[in-house]
Amino acid sequence: MKIFTSPQIRKCDAYTIENEPVTSLALMERAASACAGWLSRKFSGETVYNIFCGHGNNGGDGFALARLLYHKGCDVNVFMDSAQNLSADAEINCKRTRDISGIEFSDFSKVNKFQFEKESVIIDALFGTGLNKAIEGKSAELIKVLNELKFPKISIDIPSGLFADEVSDKNSLVFTADETLSFQFWKKAFLHSETGQFCGKINILDIGLNSEFIENEISDSFVIDEGLVREIYRPRQEFSHKGNFGKTVIAAGSSGKMGAAVLATQAALKTGSGLTFSLAPQCGYEILQTTCPEAMFLKCGQDFITSFDVEEDAILGIGPGLGTERETYNALLAFLKACDKTLVLDADALNMIAENTDHVNLIPKNSIITPHPKEFERLFGTTENSFERLNLAKDKAKELEIYIVLKDHHTQIITPEGGVFYNLTGNSGMAKGGSGDVLLGILTSLLAQNYSVEEAALFGVWLHGKAGDFAAEKHSKEAMLPSDLIAELGNVFKYLNSSQ
């Protein structure tokens, strides 16, 4: 699914109005109707909806929503700034709603003394995606009050105070939603840590915007949805043998850190690698042969890896638990200088590359690197926020001709062509040491199975996160382990196969 900027969304609205054709007021009615349907499914018939309407079209959505909910038999209160002029469509919907005697209207100034019912829901229809400056004055004071109320909070299209495409000012007041009802599209603000924290759960509501425009409008940003994953995934053919599914080599581990090598190797095996090898120091021989009997052991050093020699037709993933011993460092640099094939690099491999800014140029073209924010900072420098970090990642992916898997709550995959894919699977239970080792194993295994680099990156990150979601459901976010991700990979593949 494409992610559009706020100006592109306005263009899409305008194109729909002109070419369907449909009036802007009728389009507002569609949006309100979609929200009313969602709310009536979410909450009981005893719910009292308290809708806070701004003066623009987001407020117009709120007025229309109040009317539609009332006609569904719901109790509704509307709050507005009586002193402000409304947009043309908001004015019409405000009048239509005021004509209903059963809907109570109150001024924003009365909210402190208002007696909210026990079954209240607070609905934010104050400011939409057109906001371009921090909220001030009466609106800011109102949001302060609303954020203190202990009722479910729902934002219409975007939480008021957020900018759709960039980080808001640190001191800006933002409505804190439990759920956001977004029209047709994901917005970048939903997907970054500084802004997504205000959005709660995202619900995308289809309001029938023009499909031709959506298909033809160019975007460099996407979310990885299940439809895309199903296009990438290739179920196994019955007449196959192990040679059809590649050779995976996991170069990992050092004395005291062999668990990382185990996790990465097991993940590669569970992802379907035809032949899997653990390239590790001798100190890990018994550990790996016991825990990963399906993988072959390649000795390279005693307590840490001292060389990275592998067969030419193998795909190599390097980094988990590698350590940063000088011999390992020298061996890695020598290998990278001579290497011209796709690699997957993570963890200590990235940390050693980061010791000298020139070393990033040694990363072979079309490789995948998987840094978390701190590793990214060591490699490429500091940034003020995740939006700036993403822009820097786009520059570096293009410059180095590599794929950057920038790990975050919504991990971003950045392509050399400047494309950005946000992953929607995964959860905070994966925020444990070892989860990244599992990801490296998955990515390396998919590359060995002849998925393209882009396909492996997108599918691998989604697969990793989906396994995490299955694990959290079974064990809880707190108790789930990185090894539980590996155990759930089979269930993810069964899920994909069951609905082919």
Side-chain angles (χ1 to χ4, degrees):
M1 179 187 289
K2 293 177 181 177
I3 299 172
F4 286 157
T5 63
S6 182
Q8 285 177 306
I9 293 171
R10 288 196 292 273
K11 279 175 61 180
C12 188
D13 288 344
Y15 189 94
T16 302
I17 290 166
E18 182 178 348
N19 290 275
E20 187 164 332
V22 61
T23 65
S24 59
L25 199 62
L27 194 58
M28 186 176 284
E29 193 79 1
R30 280 189 204 171
S33 180
C35 292
W38 186 92
L39 289 164
S40 62
R41 293 188 297 271
K42 174 75 175 179
F43 297 104
S44 75
E46 303 301 314
T47 301
V48 179
Y49 296 98
N50 301 279
I51 305 177
F52 291 80
C53 299
H55 61 279
N57 284 349
N58 195 246
D61 294 332
F63 292 126
L65 174 60
R67 172 170 43 81
L68 293 174
L69 286 172
Y70 180 82
H71 288 317
K72 285 178 175 284
C74 302
D75 290 330
V76 183
N77 299 309
V78 173
F79 297 80
M80 63 180 293
D81 183 352
S82 303
Q84 275 197 313
N85 294 323
L86 302 175
S87 70
D89 286 348
E91 179 70 47
I92 292 170
N93 269 319
C94 179
K95 184 178 185 307
R96 288 177 177 175
T97 307
R98 276 192 180 279
D99 287 343
I100 300 172
S101 59
I103 296 178
E104 181 179 346
F105 272 71
S106 300
D107 190 82
F108 288 161
S109 61
K110 303 294 176 62
V111 68
N112 277 315
K113 297 179 181 178
F114 192 85
Q115 295 298 310
F116 290 97
E117 299 290 336
K118 183 180 178 182
E119 298 297 323
S120 284
V121 168
I122 305 300
I123 297 180
D124 158 37
L126 293 168
F127 297 94
T129 57
L131 186 70
N132 57 15
K133 63 180 181 178
I135 295 175
E136 300 173 337
K138 287 190 290 184
S139 296
E141 291 303 314
L142 173 65
I143 288 176
K144 279 184 185 177
V145 173
L146 296 182
N147 282 343
E148 291 297 318
L149 295 176
K150 305 301 182 184
F151 301 113
K153 299 183 183 69
I154 312 295
S155 281
I156 303 302
D157 207 25
I158 190 170
S160 291
L162 283 187
F163 303 150
D165 308 315
E166 59 188 74
V167 68
S168 306
D169 184 84
K170 288 181 180 179
N171 299 318
S172 295
L173 271 166
V174 179
F175 182 85
T176 303
D178 297 304
E179 307 221 32
T180 296
L181 309 184
S182 180
F183 300 138
Q184 205 79 43
F185 306 110
W186 284 81
K187 300 170 177 67
K188 285 187 178 181
F190 301 162
L191 297 160
H192 287 259
S193 56
E194 298 90 346
T195 47
Q197 62 181 308
F198 297 103
C199 302
K201 182 180 177 183
I202 306 298
N203 305 273
I204 306 299
L205 305 184
D206 187 344
I207 60 170
L209 294 180
N210 188 275
S211 59
E212 181 183 4
F213 178 92
I214 295 170
E215 183 177 346
N216 294 331
E217 180 72 4
I218 294 172
S219 175
D220 63 3
S221 298
F222 308 84
V223 294
I224 306 173
D225 56 27
E226 198 167 298
L228 176 58
V229 169
R230 291 188 181 280
E231 289 177 12
I232 295 171
Y233 172 52
R234 299 196 298 266
R236 290 196 168 207
Q237 299 300 310
E238 291 302 323
F239 291 92
S240 302
H241 57 83
K242 62 187 177 185
N244 296 128
F245 303 108
K247 293 181 182 178
T248 302
V249 178
I250 302 297
S254 57
S255 180
K257 299 179 181 178
M258 291 311 303
V262 171
L263 290 170
T265 303
Q266 288 182 341
L269 289 163
K270 276 282 192 177
T271 306
S273 170
L275 289 168
T276 306
F277 300 82
S278 297
L279 188 151
Q282 180 64 30
C283 66
Y285 174 76
E286 292 182 357
I287 296 170
L288 283 162
Q289 289 285 271
T290 302
T291 58
C292 309
E294 300 88 350
M296 290 162 275
F297 185 85
L298 301 174
K299 176 187 172 182
C300 291
Q302 184 59 43
D303 291 323
F304 45 83
I305 291 177
T306 56
S307 68
F308 293 89
D309 296 326
V310 296
E311 294 182 25
E312 187 62 32
D313 59 346
I315 298 295
L316 183 59
I318 308 176
L322 205 61
T324 55
E325 293 287 342
R326 197 50 29 179
E327 283 186 65
T328 307
Y329 171 83
N330 290 334
L332 177 64
L333 292 188
F335 172 75
L336 291 176
K337 287 174 183 177
C339 182
D340 61 357
K341 64 179 185 177
T342 297
L343 304 172
V344 185
L345 299 168
D346 183 39
D348 284 333
L350 299 180
N351 290 330
M352 286 187 279
I353 291 170
E355 287 194 24
N356 186 310
T357 54
D358 292 335
H359 291 164
V360 296
N361 297 307
L362 298 176
I363 300 172
K365 292 178 181 178
N366 286 318
S367 290
I368 301 174
I369 67 171
T370 61
H372 58 56
K374 279 296 181 184
E375 288 166 345
F376 182 86
E377 182 179 306
R378 293 183 201 117
L379 284 166
F380 301 120
T382 59
T383 51
E384 287 295 316
N385 54 63
S386 66
F387 287 83
E388 288 189 11
R389 184 168 65 235
L390 175 59
N391 288 333
L392 179 57
K394 290 173 70 173
D395 291 341
K396 293 301 179 182
K398 182 178 180 180
E399 174 190 332
L400 300 171
E401 297 180 53
I402 61 174
Y403 292 78
I404 300 177
V405 174
L406 191 53
K407 291 185 284 198
D408 208 335
H409 176 58
H410 292 297
T411 291
Q412 299 125 50
I413 297 95
I414 301 99
T415 73
E417 296 76 28
V420 178
F421 294 82
Y422 291 86
N423 186 48
L424 301 182
T425 59
N427 59 80
S428 58
M430 299 167 69
K432 297 182 175 79
S435 294
D437 306 327
V438 174
L439 178 61
L440 176 125
I442 291 171
L443 294 172
T444 311
S445 181
L446 291 174
L447 286 172
Q449 294 172 67
N450 285 319
Y451 284 91
S452 72
V453 183
E454 183 169 309
E455 288 172 340
L458 301 184
F459 184 26
V461 170
W462 181 91
L463 186 63
H464 181 248
K466 192 70 171 177
D469 291 338
F470 282 8
E473 187 175 344
K474 184 178 290 185
H475 302 286
S476 81
K477 293 177 183 178
E478 290 79 8
M480 63 181 281
L481 297 172
S483 55
D484 294 324
L485 306 183
I486 300 168
E488 292 298 327
L489 286 171
N491 289 326
V492 180
F493 283 115
K494 286 172 68 176
Y495 170 79
L496 288 173
N497 280 297
S498 67
S499 48
Q500 280 291 321

